[in-house]
Amino acid sequence: MSLWSLSVGASASVSSVASDSGNVAAQRLIDIGFRKGQTVSCLLQPGFGAPRVFALGNATYSLDKETADLVILTDDRPS
Amino acid sequence: MKNVLLVGAPNSGKSALFNRLTGLQHKVANYPGITIDVGSGALRSDPRAQVWDFPGTYSLNAISGEEELAIDALRSALADERPAVVAMVLDATRLEKGLTYCLQVAREAARSKKPFLVLLNMMDILEHNKLVLDLDGLRASLGVPVLPVSARTGDGVEAAEVALVSASATQSPWADTPDALIEGSAQQIADRFVPQGELLVRRQAKIDNWLLGTASGGVAFVVIMTLFFQAIFTWSAPLMDGVEAFILGLGAWLVPLVPEGIFADFFEDAVFGGLGAFLVFVPQIFVLTLIIGALEDSGYLARAALICHRPLSYFGLSGKSFVPLLSGVACAIPAIYAARTMSSRQERLMTYVAIPLMPCSARLPVYALLITVLIPDTTAFGGLVGWQGLVMSGIYFFGIVSALIVAAVASRLGESESRKQAFILELPAYRTPNVWPIIHASVNRAGHFIQKAGSIIFTVTVVVWFLGYFPNGGEDLSASWLATLGIWIQPIFEPLGLDWRYGVAILASFLAREVFVGTLGTIFGIENADDDPAPLAERITESGLTAASGAALVVFFTIALQCVSTVALLARESKSTGFAMRLLLSYLVLAWIAAFAVHGLVSLF
Ligand SMILES: Nc1nc2c(ncn2[C@@H]2O[C@H](COP(=O)(O)OP(=O)(O)O)[C@@H](O)[C@H]2O)c(=O)[nH]1
Ligand SMILES: [Mg+2]
C-alpha cells in the first residue's frame, strides 16, 4: 500500500520509494529521509483532496497524492 | 581574506545565524526556500572573514531552478582557490532532514581541501523541551567539528566564530564515500542521534488540526486573509494622514520662503504637488510588508500554500504559487524572485503570468486617489464598513480573480501538457515571529520606495513639470508642450472619456505605476498656480472626472503591466524576452478593452 492510503494517526514503515526512470520527486523523498525501514505517520488529511501531512522523525511534510503514492509501505503496523 | 560559506537545508536558520555572525539584518522567514540571493557580510568578530548565506537546499540533487542556482553557486565557491570554510547549518530538532546534504557537502569540501564543520542550530528548542542530543557521539560519527548554537538566543555563537576563523582542512572520512554509502550513513546517524521528540511534532499537529482542518482551516484562512487586507488599510490610515499633514504643512511653510516666480512654481507644483502626492503612500507599503513578514515567520504561509494547492491547481498553478502571488500584493519584484522555489517550469511560467495582475502596492496610490475622488466617505451597515474600504477590497478582489482567470486560460493555451509536478513542502514549526528582522525588512522596502521616488518619480515629475510649464511660464497649461504631446496621444484615451492630462499621466506611468499620481499632482499643480497647496484628490474632483472614466482608469490600472522593472525581471527570470514582451503587449490590449467596456457600462447609469 502507498503512503497516501495511511489513515490519520497511523504509522507504518517504508518499504521502498518508487524511483522509476530518475523521477526527481522520488529522489528528493529519499534525500529528505523517506528510506526503507523508516517509520512515517499520517498526521492530517485536510478535506477536498488537499495534500496530506506526514511526519518523518521530527519533521513534517505535506505531500500531494501523486507524490505520496511514490512511497510504498510495508504492511500496516499498529502505532 | 577568508570566506565562510553557510549552507544547509531550508529553514534550518542560516539567515538567522548569518545575522548573528555579521550583525546585519537579513530577512529570516519561516517558509522553506526564502533566501533568494547569496547574501554576504563581514564576520563581526573578524572583518577579514566574509560570510556567505547560501540559499537552502535539501540535497545536491536539484529539483528546482532555485536549487540549481544555489548548488552551482556553492560548487563554484568550493572550486575557488581562495581559503574558505564550509559551515553546514543543521536544525538540531530536525536533524534527519539535513544529514544527507551534510554528508554530500562534507565530501565535496574534502575533495576541494576546504575545512568543513557543522553548526548545530536551534539548541534552545532542545533545551526548552528538555531533549538531549549526544553531541560527542555525533561528533565521532560525523568525524567533523560540531558546534551547538542558537541563532535565537545567541548561545554558542562566539565559540562558533572562533572555530570558523581557526578552522583548517583535516583528513575527512567522507572524501571518497560513494552516494549509496552516504545515504546509508545519513540514515544510521539519524537513527542513532535524532532526539526522540514526538513532543515537538505533536504540539505542532495540535495547531495544524485547527488551521488545516477541513472546516476550521477554511474559516481560518478566510479570516486571516480578510484581516490581512483590512489591516493594510486601517492600520496605515493614521500614518498616512500624518505624512500628508506633514507634507502639506511643510509646503505651506516653505513655499512662501522661496521668491515668487519660476522657482516657487517649481517647488510648489513639482516637489510638493508631484512627489508629495506619492510619499503619502509609503506607510501603507511599510505595513503591508510588515504583515506578510509576520505571517511568513509564524509558519502560517506554508500552511496556506497547502490549503491553496488544490484550488490553485485548477488554474494551472500550484500551492507553491501562493507565496509568490501573495508577495505580489506587495510588489511584483520579490514575487517573481519567490517563484524560483517552484520546480516545474510550466507552473512557474503560469505564476509569472499571474503575478503582474496581483494588486501590487504601486497601484495602491492610484486606487486610493481615485477612490477618494469617486466614492463618498460614508459608511454602510450601521457604520460597520466604510464604502471606500469596501470598494478597495473589491478592486483587490477583481485583480486577484483576473490573475487566476488569466493563468487558467494561459495554461490551457500552453502548448505542453506537461506532467503535473510533485508537491513536497516541509511544514515548518510554528514560531513567534522574530520582530526586528521583519521591521527591518519593512523599513527597507519603504526606503526602497522612497529611493524610487527620489530617482524615477522625481525625474519624471521634473520633466513633466518642465514640459507643462513652458513655453508660456505656467500661464496656460493647455498651450504647453505637454498639452501638444497629450493631444497627440488623445485618440487612445478619448474612448475612455479621459482627456490628455490623464493620457500623459498614464503614458508616464509605464515606467512605474506610482508615477501616475506624481504626474497628475504636477499637472494639476501647474493648472492651479495661484491656489494654496491642496490635496490632489480635491483638485481632481474640481476638474470633474466622471464616474465612468474613473472606473475605466481603475480597470486599466488593475490589468496593464506598467512597470519597467517587472518586465525586465520577467525577461531575465523566464530566460525569454519574447515571453515578457508578449505579456506586456497582451496586458496592454486587455487593459484597454476592459477599461473601454467598463466605461461603456458605467455610462449607461
Ligand atoms: N527557536 C529558534 N528559532 C530559530 C533559530 N534559528 C532560526 N530560527 C527561526 O527559524 C526560522 C527559519 O530561519 P531562517 O534563518 O530564515 O532559515 P533559513 O531558511 O535557513 O535561512 C525563522 O523563523 C527563525 O526565526 C534558533 O536557534 N532557535
Ligand atoms: Mg535564509
Side-chain angles (χ1 to χ4, degrees), chain B residues 90 95-104 138 142 186 189-190:
Chain B
L90 289 181
L95 195 56
E96 63 280 10
K97 84 172 193 210
L99 277 173
T100 307
Y101 187 41
C102 172
L103 298 185
Q104 285 174 340
L138 185 62
L142 284 174
I189 297 173

Side-chain angles (χ1 to χ4, degrees), chain B residues 39-79:
Chain B
S40 78
L43 190 65
R44 210 178 29 175
S45 61
D46 183 354
R48 282 166 307 167
Q50 187 79 4
V51 187
W52 299 84
D53 178 18
F54 277 77
T57 37
Y58 290 101
S59 106
L60 284 179
N61 311 313
I63 64 166
S64 73
E66 187 208 29
E67 289 187 352
E68 217 160 277
L69 288 177
I71 292 166
D72 287 348
L74 177 60
R75 282 196 198 281
S76 55
L78 284 174

Side-chain angles (χ1 to χ4, degrees), chain B residues 14-16 27-29 34-35 53-54:
Chain B
K14 290 176 304 301
S15 298
K27 188 171 172 198
V28 297
I34 208 67
T35 306
D53 178 18
F54 277 77

Side-chain angles (χ1 to χ4, degrees), chain B residues 8-19 26-35 53-56 89 91 120-125 149-154 296-299 428-429 431-434 437:
Chain B
N11 241 18
S12 51
K14 290 176 304 301
S15 298
L17 263 176
F18 174 89
N19 291 346
H26 257 205
K27 188 171 172 198
V28 297
N30 207 4
Y31 183 84
I34 208 67
T35 306
D53 178 18
F54 277 77
V89 182
D91 175 348
L120 197 57
N121 192 27
M122 314 241 182
M123 291 303 286
D124 59 311
I125 303 181
V149 293
S150 163
R152 190 49 80 88
T153 63
E296 206 164 44
D297 206 19
S298 72
R431 291 196 174 89
T432 347
N434 214 350

Side-chain angles (χ1 to χ4, degrees), chain A residues 28 31 35 38 58 60 62, chain B residues 59 96 100 187 204 425:
Chain A
R28 174 49 45 90
D31 287 342
R35 304 188 192 101
Q38 288 306 294
N58 292 327
T60 50
S62 87
Chain B
S59 106
E96 63 280 10
T100 307
Q187 194 55 63
Q204 184 191 316
L425 187 66

Side-chain angles (χ1 to χ4, degrees), chain B residues 92-280:
Chain B
T93 64
R94 294 181 166 192
L95 195 56
E96 63 280 10
K97 84 172 193 210
L99 277 173
T100 307
Y101 187 41
C102 172
L103 298 185
Q104 285 174 340
V105 176
R107 177 179 64 188
E108 300 305 313
R111 285 181 180 165
S112 48
K113 309 255 178 317
K114 302 271 193 291
F116 177 90
L117 52 79
V118 168
L119 301 178
L120 197 57
N121 192 27
M122 314 241 182
M123 291 303 286
D124 59 311
I125 303 181
L126 285 194
E127 271 157 40
H128 184 86
N129 293 287
K130 309 209 165 45
L131 296 171
V132 280
L133 194 150
D134 175 9
L135 272 177
D136 290 323
L138 185 62
R139 278 188 191 110
S141 296
L142 284 174
V144 300
V146 175
L147 293 122
V149 293
S150 163
R152 190 49 80 88
T153 63
D155 285 343
V157 172
E158 265 171 48
E161 284 172 0
V162 174
L164 285 171
V165 174
S166 59
S168 57
T170 49
Q171 269 303 332
S172 168
W174 307 106
D176 304 308
T177 320
D179 277 342
L181 259 180
I182 287 224
E183 244 152 49
S185 311
Q187 194 55 63
Q188 276 174 11
I189 297 173
D191 287 344
R192 258 183 77 190
F193 297 106
V194 167
Q196 294 308 312
E198 281 272 275
L199 189 87
L200 298 174
V201 172
R202 218 166 272 149
R203 173 150 10 106
Q204 184 191 316
K206 231 180 242 160
I207 309 180
D208 276 337
N209 267 329
W210 263 97
L211 291 181
L212 294 178
T214 308
S216 57
V219 173
F221 180 79
V222 171
V223 169
I224 291 176
M225 287 301 129
T226 310
L227 282 180
F228 170 75
F229 285 112
Q230 276 297 315
I232 297 175
F233 299 107
T234 47
W235 293 7
S236 47
L239 283 172
M240 291 171 71
D241 291 347
V243 173
E244 173 154 36
F246 176 76
I247 290 174
L248 286 181
L250 200 67
W253 177 65
L254 272 183
V255 171
L257 297 185
V258 182
E260 283 275 327
I262 174 165
F263 283 111
D265 287 348
F266 174 77
F267 248 123
E268 197 182 333
D269 307 338
V271 179
F272 286 101
L275 215 52
F278 163 74
L279 285 178
V280 170

Side-chain angles (χ1 to χ4, degrees), chain B residues 511-573:
Chain B
L511 283 173
R513 295 178 178 94
E514 321 83 299
V515 167
F516 180 80
V517 175
T519 306
L520 272 190
T522 307
I523 293 178
F524 281 101
I526 298 175
E527 208 165 45
N528 299 276
D530 307 322
D531 285 9
D532 296 325
L536 177 55
E538 249 167 59
R539 292 189 165 160
I540 294 182
T541 313
E542 285 162 14
S543 83
L545 180 74
T546 66
S549 303
L553 261 181
V554 168
V555 168
F556 187 87
F557 270 87
T558 51
I559 299 175
L561 208 179
Q562 301 148 286
C563 179
V564 177
S565 339
T566 304
V567 177
L569 190 64
L570 278 175
R572 208 176 77 205
E573 290 290 302

